Amino acid sequence: MENTIWILIMLPCSMLFTGIGIYAWNRKKPIWFWSGSTVSKNEISDIKAYNRANGIMWLCFSLPFWVSTFLGFFYNKAGAIVLIANCIIGIPALPIAYGRIYKKYKR
């Protein structure tokens, strides 16, 4: 039963972050990072490369979620450790990575 609960929780989370990465990669206008903020076309020198870099950032963030999803199905504690490690390291790393991407493609 706990494996089913694990999958029902982790699968949508993993899919969400992967979906954000795919959306960012394919977006024609510059993608934003913070909720409520926008990035204008005039701010970014190469919109396609900027969005691709953001997509890669989100896909990299989602990868440990996928590992945790499937690992946790078989070994609950190992899946939880991967999930916690990703949250402790990944969440603070996202704004740092985005800041570097923004600086690189800012006009």
Side-chain angles (χ1 to χ4, degrees), residues 25-88:
W25 189 302
N26 293 318
R27 188 170 159 85
K28 302 295 181 212
K29 296 178 184 177
I31 192 74
W32 59 93
F33 182 75
W34 301 107
S35 176
S37 69
T38 58
V39 178
S40 74
K41 291 181 179 182
N42 299 331
E43 290 180 65
I44 305 300
S45 60
D46 185 352
I47 294 171
K48 186 174 181 177
Y50 168 80
N51 285 346
R52 185 174 44 242
N54 275 286
I56 290 169
M57 174 187 73
W58 283 107
L59 290 171
C60 288
F61 182 68
S62 76
L63 186 60
F65 276 90
W66 285 108
V67 169
S68 178
T69 299
F70 294 109
L71 186 61
F73 186 75
F74 299 105
Y75 309 103
N76 287 347
K77 289 182 183 178
I81 290 169
V82 171
L83 175 64
I84 291 168
N86 187 41
C87 290
I88 291 172

